[in-house]
Amino acid sequence: MNFKNVVLCVFVVLLSTSAMAQLNILNAKEPEEIGKKTEAQIAYDNDEPLPYGYVDDRDVLWSRTTWEIIDLDERVNFPLYYPIDTNNIGAERRSLYDVLVRAIKEGNIEHVYADSYFTEKRTLKDIEASLVYSDTTDLGIEQYNAEGIVDEQYVRKFNLDAGDVEEWRIRGYWYMDKRQGELKYRMLGICPVANEARSKAFPDDNIDSKVELFWIWFPAARKVLHEAKAFNRKNTSQPITYDHLLNSRRFHAVVYKEDNVQGDRGVADYISDNALMQLLESDRIREQIRNIEIDMWNY
């Protein structure tokens, strides 16, 4: 068997493996069967998030907490943003925002907080003030003054959707594992940032009310994120889970805060009105963390 035949055989094997990963698309007799696993596939799968290994506090030689911004305008971060229009796309593809909000509404994610320190827990009713805005029209106000009631047709509702999210903020924990002798990263929290729904009701006012909508304790949301798939631009037959994408840091982020003696002050608090210097400071913080592992092996 020559080299050409070997390459052909390998290609056929990989093609068959990829076809199996298309969730029954080649075996479906009807379009409704696409995306549904057979009973044999369900029995064969052991589809769970890769568990974190136990790390004893005594094994943490050094640590630092950082807060980062994932800008969704950057092309490398598009898998976290799209799709924003879900009318003409399959139910298996949703943006990260849609995945998390749906899981909160269904009760699959309960650890939702108001801040990145996870001190104040929030419910769906608490965060709906930022996600939904209701406005009564002039005709509705006139009806209320006259009759004391307002018909639904006179109430406008504005909902935030995936297209309104401008960035994600994450909190992570860098630490040196002395048993394995390497620098590791563990994501602790994730938060969508967008203008409040009220800004959609008055677009001409140019309201800039960009806020942190809610913080989610990341380890408790891993199962939900593992079941949701992000688009893999290099191989559409092998989508990547959001859990894998975030844990492997397949995104670009900028450090905007680190834990420090000044009460965890942000970069913008001591470098103001200079975006370039803030970016350089973010790179300095990241490089300082990376050098910890390098310096450990220098004598």
Side-chain angles (χ1 to χ4, degrees):
M1 182 180 292
N2 55 29
F3 179 76
K4 182 178 180 181
N5 292 334
V6 172
V7 173
L8 182 61
C9 291
V10 172
F11 176 76
V12 171
V13 172
L14 293 177
L15 184 62
S16 62
T17 304
S18 300
M20 292 175 60
Q22 280 282 0
L23 291 182
N24 207 36
I25 191 172
L26 299 181
N27 299 319
K29 297 180 180 179
E30 299 177 357
E32 291 76 10
E33 296 180 2
I34 298 176
K36 295 182 180 179
K37 293 184 179 181
T38 63
E39 294 182 1
Q41 288 175 320
I42 295 175
Y44 180 78
D45 286 346
N46 183 18
D47 201 14
E48 294 290 337
L50 186 66
Y52 290 144
Y54 176 76
V55 180
D56 193 276
D57 291 340
R58 294 172 295 181
D59 297 333
V60 179
L61 188 63
W62 172 92
S63 68
R64 178 164 296 176
T65 303
T66 59
W67 288 259
E68 299 173 89
I69 293 176
I70 303 176
D71 189 353
L72 295 180
D73 284 335
E74 298 186 35
R75 185 177 297 273
V76 69
N77 298 329
F78 280 178
L80 299 174
Y81 181 66
Y82 290 101
I84 57 176
D85 184 5
T86 58
N87 293 326
N88 299 316
I89 200 168
E92 71 280 357
R93 286 190 58 190
R94 289 293 182 268
S95 70
L96 178 59
Y97 175 80
D98 288 334
V99 169
L100 293 178
V101 171
R102 183 180 61 183
I104 293 173
K105 291 180 179 179
E106 294 176 353
N108 295 325
I109 293 181
E110 300 178 353
H111 297 277
V112 183
Y113 298 85
D115 58 86
S116 61
Y117 294 95
F118 313 109
T119 55
E120 181 184 349
K121 203 166 186 178
R122 306 187 73 182
T123 63
L124 177 61
K125 185 177 181 180
D126 296 331
I127 66 177
E128 279 185 344
S130 298
L131 303 182
V132 181
Y133 179 77
S134 297
D135 181 38
T136 304
T137 63
D138 293 338
L139 292 176
I141 295 175
E142 293 178 2
Q143 183 188 25
Y144 181 79
N145 292 333
E147 304 175 13
I149 60 173
V150 179
D151 293 337
E152 288 292 332
Q153 60 179 333
Y154 299 132
V155 178
R156 300 185 303 166
K157 287 189 176 181
F158 300 88
N159 298 285
L160 288 183
D161 51 38
D164 299 317
V165 179
E166 299 182 12
E167 63 189 42
W168 287 90
R169 295 183 183 177
I170 58 174
R171 178 187 173 186
Y173 187 75
W174 294 92
Y175 67 96
M176 178 64 67
D177 190 332
K178 71 177 182 180
R179 284 186 177 271
Q180 300 186 18
E182 61 180 347
L183 182 68
K184 294 185 177 182
Y185 177 79
R186 184 74 60 85
M187 187 176 293
L188 301 179
I190 185 167
C191 166
V193 177
N195 286 325
E196 291 184 322
R198 181 176 179 274
S199 63
K200 300 182 72 172
F202 308 100
D204 297 334
D205 294 345
N206 295 322
I207 300 175
D208 186 10
S209 57
K210 188 165 63 175
V211 296
E212 297 178 347
L213 300 178
F214 52 82
W215 279 89
I216 290 179
W217 177 250
F218 182 79
R222 291 191 63 207
K223 183 174 178 59
V224 170
L225 295 174
H226 180 75
E227 295 173 352
K229 311 297 181 182
F231 184 76
N232 186 352
R233 69 187 71 187
K234 295 184 179 180
N235 186 357
T236 56
S237 68
Q238 298 290 337
I240 182 174
T241 68
Y242 282 114
D243 177 64
H244 184 189
L245 187 150
L246 293 169
N247 273 308
S248 58
R249 291 186 62 87
R250 295 178 61 168
F251 54 81
H252 179 261
V254 176
V255 177
Y256 72 93
K257 186 168 68 170
E258 64 171 335
D259 51 352
N260 51 58
V261 69
Q262 291 92 355
D264 298 348
R265 66 174 181 176
V267 172
D269 294 334
Y270 59 93
I271 301 178
S272 59
D273 300 328
N274 194 326
L276 176 59
M277 294 305 298
Q278 291 175 3
L279 185 61
L280 293 176
E281 175 66 8
S282 172
D283 290 339
R284 184 196 68 81
I285 295 173
R286 184 182 292 107
E287 194 65 24
Q288 187 181 44
I289 293 174
R290 290 174 178 171
N291 288 338
I292 293 295
E293 183 178 27
I294 299 175
D295 295 341
M296 179 180 179
W297 298 103
N298 289 339
Y299 297 94

